[in-house]
Amino acid sequence: GAVVSQHPSRVICKSGTSVKIECRSLDFQATTMFWYRQFPKQSLMLMATSNEGSKATYEQGVEKDKFLINHASLTLSTLTVTSAHPEDSSFYICSAFRDGYGEQFFGPGTRLTVL
Amino acid sequence: AQSVAQPEDQVNVAEGNPLTVKCTYSVSGNPYLFWYVQYPNRGLQFLLKYITGDNLVKGSYGFEAEFNKSQTSFHLKKPSALVSDSALYFCAVRTLSGSARQLTFGSGTQLTVLP
């Protein structure tokens, strides 16, 4: 149990296009999900906290108009990188906070490469 | 504010020898402490956690960690390292006070087990 999936696992896009990444909690409900960004051999940087039915809370320095987050249901959050540029290339990881259990589970990550 | 320090970027150990990956933390309340492991291009896998109770916590794959409140440490240990343990290890903390649910991660320690 307690599986979090991400789709796609890898995506390559051209500069200027938008990319959507999905994060799903497969067998539990998650009112809160988190989006992280990770550069090679570095730690996870929290980008935003996604709350079902309300606006996401972005960390300082993260552009909310560039990284659009939608948490429309208790099992799905999406991150859309708008007008992607090569500097947006990174490994994006989501995690879901399991309601009632106080535990956080991580997705397998999405490798974004912007050409 | 909560923070986590992993003082070693890299730890090398010979297969069969004991390993230790260090972690210290700083929080204003009682901490939840976690260890995660990450293999290349993969998400984080949960190893173990400390919430309360016995200071020695046993987790997955033979790993254990000892919570030391006076030294504010939560070092990860394994009695006999395997080559397959080579990966990136993250310590993380979340406090029990307040409404924040997000984990704060350390900078990560790359463990290399030499055959």
Side-chain angles (χ1 to χ4, degrees):
Chain A
V3 176
V4 176
S5 70
Q6 277 184 246
H7 178 79
S9 58
R10 306 178 75 92
V11 57
I12 301 173
C13 69
K14 293 182 179 180
S15 185
T17 61
S18 294
V19 175
K20 181 185 284 188
I21 303 170
E22 292 186 349
C23 177
R24 292 182 184 272
S25 56
L26 298 184
D27 49 3
F28 65 96
Q29 292 185 334
T31 303
T32 303
M33 292 186 177
F34 304 96
W35 286 96
Y36 296 86
R37 184 174 180 176
Q38 186 183 31
F39 292 101
K41 296 190 177 182
Q42 293 190 25
S43 189
L44 279 70
M45 292 176 51
L46 180 66
M47 298 175 64
T49 302
S50 169
N51 297 296
E52 188 267 338
S54 64
K55 292 183 179 180
T57 302
Y58 290 83
E59 295 299 301
Q60 192 172 8
V62 178
E63 298 177 61
K64 59 182 179 182
D65 293 332
K66 181 165 187 63
F67 298 99
L68 300 179
I69 291 172
N70 184 277
H71 193 157
S73 78
L74 290 173
T75 59
L76 173 65
S77 176
T78 60
L79 169 69
T80 301
V81 183
T82 62
S83 187
H85 291 284
E87 57 264 31
D88 298 326
S89 298
S90 193
F91 195 54
Y92 292 88
I93 300 175
C94 76
S95 73
F97 194 89
R98 188 175 182 183
D99 290 348
Y101 287 81
E103 296 201 29
Q104 192 170 340
F105 299 92
F106 287 82
T110 297
R111 173 72 61 192
L112 170 63
T113 302
V114 185
L115 303 177
Chain B
Q2 56 195 37
S3 64
V4 178
Q6 291 180 243
E8 301 159 317
D9 293 335
Q10 176 85 37
V11 170
N12 296 327
V13 63
E15 186 175 28
N17 282 2
L19 69 86
T20 299
V21 182
K22 296 179 180 178
C23 171
T24 59
Y25 65 91
S26 175
V27 297
S28 57
N30 291 320
Y32 278 178
L33 292 159
F34 302 80
W35 275 102
Y36 290 89
V37 60
Q38 185 181 34
Y39 295 95
N41 294 310
R42 304 289 292 274
L44 271 64
Q45 295 180 33
F46 170 80
L47 280 179
L48 52 79
K49 67 180 178 183
Y50 171 83
I51 298 176
T52 187
D54 195 349
N55 289 343
L56 183 63
V57 179
K58 294 187 182 296
S60 306
Y61 313 120
F63 284 93
E64 58 188 29
E66 186 166 10
F67 171 64
N68 188 316
K69 188 173 184 178
S70 62
Q71 297 185 4
T72 61
S73 67
F74 190 57
H75 301 330
L76 180 70
K77 299 182 179 184
K78 186 173 183 180
S80 179
L82 301 172
V83 173
S84 58
D85 292 330
S86 299
L88 188 57
Y89 289 81
F90 290 101
C91 181
V93 67
R94 181 170 67 229
T95 62
L96 298 177
S97 61
S99 61
R101 294 179 169 183
Q102 65 266 30
L103 292 167
T104 299
F105 286 90
S107 54
T109 298
Q110 180 67 48
L111 172 68
T112 301
V113 181
L114 305 170

